[in-house]
Amino acid sequence: MRHVIIIGSGPAGYTAAIYAARASLKPLLIASSVEAGGELMKTTEVENYPGFAEGIQGPELMAQMLAQAEKFGTEVVYDDVVKLELEGDVKRVHLGNGDVHEALTVIFATGSAYRKLGIEDETRLSGHGVSWCATCDGFFFRQKTIAVVGGGDSAMEEATFLTKFADKVYVVHRKDELRASKAMQERAFADPKIEFLWNNEVKHIYGDELVTGIGIVNTVDGSERTIDLSGLFVAIGADPRTHLVHGQLELNPDGTVKVDGRSSRTNIPGVFAAGDVIDPTYRQAVTAAGSGTVAALDAEHYLAALPKETLARATAEPAAV
Ligand SMILES: Cc1cc2nc3c(=O)[nH]c(=O)nc-3n(C[C@H](O)[C@H](O)[C@H](O)COP(=O)(O)OP(=O)(O)OC[C@H]3O[C@@H](n4cnc5c(N)ncnc54)[C@H](O)[C@@H]3O)c2cc1C
């Protein structure tokens, strides 16, 4: 049995692993079978992760985090968790290959998936003009024309933020009114760089290497229009990856896992959550990494408070059962 099993191989999971491994907890990290490395594997240049003054490619940053976690003794399994039994002193983690691993603590760091438009070329041009994160990528669009898709608070926040860089920001919204709060709407309406394209949906994204334009269709009269631009920010929400813990961990109304204050403690003792799966607001690599640190330290404190006999059970051979 393990002291700690970490689920997820994004910045939160790898950082939790670095801390847990350096605390001699010999963590097992379940990295996923096809999506190891998390969301940053889908991007190119990361310019806002501290320590890399020249920027770093997303996959290279994740390779460095993995190497650092392994260097201190983290064991990584490239499979998916398919079932969790979290109640009680011993947690059971079931993998797709049929193995079941046991641990005294679990750190749940499965991240969050940005909703996609679901149109052709969206994935191909991700990181080449299509983005889900204004904070991450706004800087690349200085003096450019761009569009934001969405009508909620985050779309308004992204559009307003992006006017710091772009010369022109279209907001493409499929309805004729916004879901965003009144205050956010008013800020966006007052911004001379923002133009609303009401009752429109993005149907095409154009560009070979980089985005060069979008095709939009009016939802009322069906008319089509092409807009030349360099960037498309998709701000239609994100879904925390929580299906494994439904009915076990308490969730917030927005779908994120509920934790106790600034800690990573969930409603089940010994189960901690970190990264974008608990964060509806900031969703950055560095905040996820910080959150992974909190989870590893919380797990360490939890283990330190366990009776010696319980703790001793985790020193046995850490093989799958
Ligand atoms: C295109 C793009 C560009 C971005 N650019 C930047 C940027 O420049 N700077 C920045 O700070 N942030 C950026 N972000 C945001 C950043 O990537 C996230 O905030 C960060 O990755 C969140 O880390 P995380 O560890 O919480 O989750 P994730 O990175 O989402 O990792 C979660 C991991 O858990 C795994 N997992 C999920 N379910 C299971 C399961 N059942 N079994 C096993 N594993 C599972 C997933 O496969 C994944 O590997 C970007 C995001 C995207 C999509």
Side-chain angles (χ1 to χ4, degrees), residues 185-200:
Q185 293 195 25
E186 279 167 10
R187 254 174 75 200
F189 290 151
D191 197 314
K193 285 188 177 177
I194 298 179
E195 179 179 338
F196 283 83
L197 300 170
W198 301 107
N199 296 315
N200 273 286

Side-chain angles (χ1 to χ4, degrees), residues 7-14 30-40 42-43 45-49 62 79-82 109-114 126-127 130-133 136-137 140 241 243-244 274-277 282-289:
I7 305 169
S9 53
Y14 282 155
I30 315 299
S32 156
S33 57
V34 287
E35 294 211 312
E39 294 294 288
L40 284 186
K42 300 174 187 167
T43 194
E45 194 81 1
V46 177
E47 288 193 327
N48 55 9
Y49 198 86
M62 298 320 295
D79 205 337
D80 301 303
V81 176
V82 293
T110 50
S112 166
Y114 287 100
S126 161
V130 178
S131 173
W132 285 264
C133 177
C136 314
D137 298 329
F140 299 120
R241 297 190 189 96
H243 65 280
L244 283 170
D276 283 9
V277 79
Y282 302 107
R283 295 201 299 243
Q284 293 294 292
V286 71
T287 51

Side-chain angles (χ1 to χ4, degrees), residues 227-283:
I227 299 176
D228 295 334
L229 45 69
S230 322
L232 180 68
F233 286 81
V234 182
I236 55 174
D239 298 309
R241 297 190 189 96
T242 54
H243 65 280
L244 283 170
V245 296
H246 284 175
Q248 299 192 74
L249 294 188
E250 247 180 76
L251 304 181
N252 292 307
D254 59 27
T256 52
V257 174
K258 192 169 182 178
V259 291
D260 181 13
R262 295 179 63 216
S263 82
S264 65
R265 291 188 298 271
T266 69
N267 56 305
I268 299 184
V271 180
F272 306 90
D276 283 9
V277 79
I278 67 166
D279 181 357
T281 313
Y282 302 107
R283 295 201 299 243

Side-chain angles (χ1 to χ4, degrees), residues 148-157 159-160 170-190 194-200 235-236:
V148 173
V149 188
D153 273 342
S154 59
M156 288 317 102
E157 197 163 316
T160 311
Y170 291 104
V171 172
V172 184
H173 185 43
R174 62 183 171 181
K175 298 196 176 142
D176 61 0
E177 58 182 356
L178 300 170
R179 273 192 332 279
S181 64
K182 198 103 188 103
M184 294 297 301
Q185 293 195 25
E186 279 167 10
R187 254 174 75 200
F189 290 151
I194 298 179
E195 179 179 338
F196 283 83
L197 300 170
W198 301 107
N199 296 315
N200 273 286
I236 55 174

Side-chain angles (χ1 to χ4, degrees), residues 54-120:
E54 303 306 320
I56 182 167
Q57 297 289 305
E60 172 58 18
L61 177 59
M62 298 320 295
Q64 289 290 334
M65 286 192 201
L66 167 63
Q68 196 173 352
E70 286 185 322
K71 173 178 156 187
F72 295 112
T74 303
E75 189 185 328
V76 181
V77 170
Y78 293 91
D79 205 337
D80 301 303
V81 176
V82 293
K83 187 177 155 195
L84 284 171
E85 296 174 75
L86 298 174
E87 290 289 354
D89 283 349
V90 177
K91 324 295 178 194
R92 291 167 69 85
V93 176
H94 299 249
L95 303 192
N97 66 6
D99 285 354
V100 182
H101 295 272
E102 292 185 335
L104 294 174
T105 64
V106 164
I107 295 176
F108 190 70
T110 50
S112 166
Y114 287 100
R115 284 188 205 140
K116 292 190 161 188
L117 295 169
I119 57 176
E120 215 183 332

